[in-house]
Amino acid sequence: MARGSRRAAAASGGPIAGASYGALGLPLAFVALPLYVVLPNHYASEFGVPLAWLGAVLLGARLFDALADPLIGRWADRLFARSSVSAWLAAAAAAVVLAIGFRALFFPMVQGSAALLAWCAALLAVTYIGYSVVSVIHQAWGARLGGDETQRARVVAWREGLALVGVLLASVLPSVAGLGASTLAFAMLLLLGVAWLWRAPRPDADRTAMAALPMTLPLATPAFRRLLAIYLVNGIASAIPATLVLFFIRDRLQAPAWEPLFLASYFAAGALSIPLWVRAVRRFGLARCWSAGMVLAIAVFAWAALLGRGDIAAYTAVCIASGFALGADLTLPGALLAGVIQRAGHAGRSEGTYFGWWNFATKLNLALAAGLALPALQWFGYAPGGRGEEALSALTFAYCVLPCMLKLGAVALLYFTWIRPAGRLS
């Protein structure tokens, strides 16, 4: 067994080694939910910041963050080329910045819409940079462990499974203990996650890779471009409902008291589904399983478009089924990417750069979702608390119908550019 396969088997097989690597995923996901879901609603509802201006700030901050990711990825490769210890130290320093920025973001020390928007933009930049450094190093660490399809899926499953536990905490804790306690809990979990990464299986350093490959190398790799196109379309489809879910619950369903149940059932289903998706990979492969997850999401959101006020049980079922589909979205694309890196001959040299571009795509999706969906909703007459028929129709289209259309496009891309060509070669 090659060294990469042994490292992957160690990280994916033993619970202690797997948890040591994956633990950092928990606090990183803990911060992701408030940043991408709670923050827009928090600034709009609590401080009265106009949706259009808030959407513009979120778009700008996320584009800045996304553009920084390829540079961060290249820097991460240089760190790994020195040693995994150098990469760990950089992640630890970035974690401190992240914890401070996250706390300040939700407790602004200014008043007035203009000052609040400026504060939000500045603290988002600080928080995003810290988050990006830790995330890219963590993802590249896992990809550098190598392994076959099943082993790669298991490594990602440890990270994303614990990430969903973090999301569950983030979905419940603010409602139970408040944002103040949540930000403190996040800081403690983040420090523990970084400390535990120190005990994880470590990728080997390769000093010959210090400046061997250019930052644009992933974009010159055809398989990466195909996978990235699929990931972009599917990611936008997922980011739009993530941005609008609280508005849909509060205004379309008129069930704000049930938010913890909805969010907890969604992320719990996602966490519980991950071992099932990993088992399915053994029989059907990564790409076909991902396609099945997308088709499930389309069916679920088509049903959600029919729901209205008081449909608590039906929407809980929607959350559970869409959470099951989420498990595929979280686990399988990253494992496919690790395979692309291996087949291209870039393993052990450019994982950080690849994941830098990958995270660029992720954040571009989120930026487009917030920067386009929120102003569009305001343009069509929707505002938080709006219950008019026209406003609710616009909200339902944006939350349910548009993601289904985009998911259909992603399924078509996955089949015609990935699954079908692979079948011809086999």
Side-chain angles (χ1 to χ4, degrees):
M1 184 184 291
R3 284 184 300 173
S5 295
R6 289 198 298 269
R7 290 194 301 270
S12 61
I16 294 178
S20 296
Y21 167 69
L24 188 54
L26 191 155
L28 288 175
F30 189 104
V31 69
L33 179 72
L35 281 182
Y36 299 130
V37 177
V38 177
L39 184 69
N41 186 271
H42 181 65
Y43 270 75
S45 301
E46 295 295 323
F47 305 125
V49 177
L51 280 179
W53 284 107
L54 181 59
V57 167
L58 292 173
L59 176 61
R62 290 172 181 173
L63 285 175
F64 165 77
D65 178 40
L67 291 170
D69 273 344
L71 297 172
I72 292 171
R74 185 60 180 138
W75 179 53
D77 284 331
R78 293 177 179 273
L79 292 171
F80 278 110
R82 295 189 189 101
S83 69
S84 56
V85 174
S86 297
W88 182 88
L89 289 172
V96 174
V97 174
L98 170 57
I100 294 171
F102 181 71
R103 170 79 181 185
L105 184 60
F106 284 92
F107 294 93
M109 300 174 66
V110 297
Q111 296 181 348
S113 293
L116 283 166
L117 286 167
W119 179 277
C120 182
L123 268 298
L124 274 173
V126 171
T127 304
Y128 279 154
I129 291 298
Y131 177 80
S132 295
V133 171
V134 180
S135 296
V136 170
I137 289 174
H138 191 218
Q139 292 168 325
W141 188 301
R144 282 172 175 257
L145 298 176
D148 59 21
E149 274 203 347
T150 302
Q151 288 171 332
R152 296 197 309 269
R154 285 175 178 167
V155 170
V156 177
W158 273 109
R159 182 178 71 226
E160 299 301 337
L162 287 168
L164 285 175
V165 175
V167 173
L168 276 169
L169 287 174
S171 66
V172 174
L173 193 58
S175 301
V176 174
L179 280 172
S182 298
T183 56
L184 293 177
F186 161 69
M188 291 187 293
L189 290 169
L190 183 63
L191 294 178
L192 287 172
V194 171
W196 221 2
L197 184 63
W198 180 262
R199 302 181 56 190
R202 298 182 185 179
D204 296 329
D206 182 4
R207 294 184 179 275
T208 63
M210 266 307 212
L213 299 174
M215 192 177 73
T216 56
L217 179 70
L219 300 180
T221 305
F224 179 71
R225 291 199 304 269
R226 294 197 306 272
L227 183 61
L228 190 65
I230 301 163
Y231 185 69
L232 273 167
V233 177
N234 182 65
I236 295 172
S238 300
I240 290 175
T243 302
L244 302 179
V245 60
L246 295 184
F247 300 115
F248 187 83
I249 292 171
R250 294 176 183 181
D251 293 334
R252 181 69 184 184
L253 301 178
Q254 298 182 32
W258 296 90
E259 283 175 14
L261 170 66
F262 295 147
L263 295 176
S265 60
Y266 173 69
F267 292 115
L272 293 173
S273 75
I274 285 178
L276 301 177
W277 287 115
V278 173
R279 291 185 65 181
V281 166
R282 299 177 189 172
R283 181 171 181 181
F284 302 107
L286 289 166
R288 292 185 182 276
C289 288
W290 189 21
S291 177
M294 292 184 198
V295 171
L296 174 60
I298 292 167
V300 170
F301 274 93
W303 179 29
L306 305 176
L307 304 184
R309 178 182 178 182
D311 287 333
I312 308 300
Y315 190 70
T316 302
V318 165
C319 291
I320 293 170
S322 60
F324 195 92
L326 173 70
D329 272 348
L330 291 177
T331 307
L332 308 183
L336 280 167
L337 175 57
V340 167
I341 298 169
Q342 286 183 14
R343 290 190 296 272
H346 303 149
R349 305 172 74 192
S350 289
E351 283 86 352
T353 304
Y354 272 91
F355 276 100
W357 285 109
W358 191 253
N359 285 352
F360 167 83
T362 301
K363 291 165 184 177
L364 181 62
N365 294 336
L366 293 165
L368 290 172
L372 300 178
L374 293 178
L377 280 176
Q378 182 170 321
W379 177 265
F380 285 107
Y382 172 79
R387 304 287 171 82
E389 187 62 34
E390 184 178 349
L392 291 181
S393 295
L395 179 60
T396 301
F397 178 83
Y399 178 75
C400 301
V401 180
L402 182 57
C404 287
M405 296 166 62
L406 291 168
K407 284 274 186 183
L408 281 171
V411 170
L413 280 172
L414 181 59
Y415 178 75
F416 287 108
T417 69
W418 198 274
I419 295 175
R420 189 173 178 182
R424 288 173 178 171
L425 293 174
S426 62

